[in-house]
Amino acid sequence: MASIFSKIIDGEIPSYKVAEDENYYAFLDINPLAEGHTLVVPKKEVDYIFDLDDKTLSGMMVFAKKVAAKIKAMTGCKKVAVVVLGLEVAHAHIHLIPMNSEADVDFHREKLQLTPERFAEIARKLSE
């Protein structure tokens, strides 16, 4: 059965797309820690990030680097954190999270509640 991320990539489930190429897809996390919190996934469905072949893994990081640059420019944050958790969805992915302190990357914090309009606006700015 396809993962929720594969369904998002295939357009079966809507998302706030930030970037896409033939191998990777980036979209806003719907439970963000900060505005601009983005997920980057390979289109190839593999559960564990370190089970990806070297070409896919390295390509994913180069793709994420481009997305992170846009996040940093849009948010004005000090850095963009790269976090790999991956237990909740069986599809390799990384979180790109704007941060000004380590506390900004605490997944136990309360998540932002954004309107669909705000999500759309953020996705539009990041995809420019």
Side-chain angles (χ1 to χ4, degrees):
M1 189 166 114
S3 76
I4 189 169
F5 291 164
S6 290
K7 291 178 181 181
I8 287 171
I9 292 164
D10 292 340
E12 296 173 35
I13 296 174
S15 69
Y16 296 99
K17 180 171 66 170
V18 170
E20 179 179 21
D21 69 12
E22 63 277 359
N23 298 306
Y24 310 99
Y25 192 88
F27 57 100
L28 295 179
D29 190 311
I30 59 168
N31 295 303
L33 291 174
E35 289 193 2
H37 181 167
T38 300
L39 298 175
V40 174
V41 300
K43 290 185 176 178
K44 179 188 297 186
E45 189 173 316
V46 173
D47 178 17
Y48 181 47
I49 194 166
F50 293 121
D51 285 340
L52 291 169
D53 62 83
D54 291 349
K55 183 178 177 183
T56 302
L57 178 60
S58 61
M60 184 171 156
M61 292 307 292
V62 170
F63 180 83
K65 179 180 178 179
K66 295 172 189 172
V67 175
K70 290 182 177 188
I71 293 169
K72 190 172 187 302
M74 187 200 89
T75 65
C77 63
K78 288 182 182 177
K79 293 186 178 185
V80 175
V82 178
V83 179
V84 177
L85 295 173
L87 294 176
E88 67 280 0
V89 178
H91 191 134
H93 61 285
I94 59 174
H95 295 258
L96 298 177
I97 305 163
M99 63 178 273
N100 293 304
S101 74
E102 289 182 8
D104 295 336
V105 189
D106 179 357
F107 278 81
H108 295 99
R109 289 185 323 139
E110 187 174 335
K111 308 303 186 282
L112 296 182
Q113 301 296 313
L114 304 176
T115 65
E117 295 79 17
R118 184 64 183 146
F119 274 116
E121 181 182 355
I122 295 166
R124 180 188 55 75
K125 287 180 180 178
L126 290 175
S127 64
E128 293 177 341

